[in-house]
Amino acid sequence: MFPVTPPPTDRRDAGFTIIEVLIALAIVAVSVVAIGSVMATNVRGVRSLEQHVALMQAARTVMTAGIPARTRLGPGALSGQIDNYRWTIDVGPLGGDWAVPGADIAWVPELVRIRVRSPSGAVSDIRTVRLMHRPDE
């Protein structure tokens, strides 16, 4: 058998140089920073989306529970608060005069504007139209 001689260690391709190691560490560091930045952006986006969903849920609650019945709803403003969400309901005429000479119309369209403000300051502004009995003149 032939004796095994260890390979020489002074060859150029015997291992990594310090420059190669530093470049690899720099690439890893840049990758970690990029991934962290993407994660932080995603967290902010999710938080913003959660706040928007909560605001829309509060607006939906106001629309279903906050608006009085048609018989009790009249021109003017109502306001209140649900779970730190402040809301106002403004009822007013829609457009111009809906009176038709010589016609007996019992219903008049009214603009109902619902504004809900979240604790963070975001606002949802919803407008709808309701037909209401014409006031007796």
Side-chain angles (χ1 to χ4, degrees), residues 70-84:
R70 191 182 314 255
T71 56
R72 294 189 352 241
L73 186 63
L78 300 169
S79 63
Q81 185 170 339
I82 297 175
D83 295 333
N84 294 328

Side-chain angles (χ1 to χ4, degrees), residues 105-119:
I105 300 174
W107 299 92
V108 177
E110 295 282 337
L111 177 66
V112 179
R113 181 178 182 190
I114 302 164
R115 278 175 284 172
V116 180
R117 179 179 301 273
S118 72

Side-chain angles (χ1 to χ4, degrees), residues 1-25:
M1 294 231 193
F2 297 104
V4 178
T5 58
T9 57
D10 58 348
R11 291 186 7 208
R12 306 261 294 140
D13 61 349
F16 296 110
T17 64
I18 190 72
I19 298 296
E20 292 171 333
V21 172
L22 289 176
I23 289 173
L25 284 175

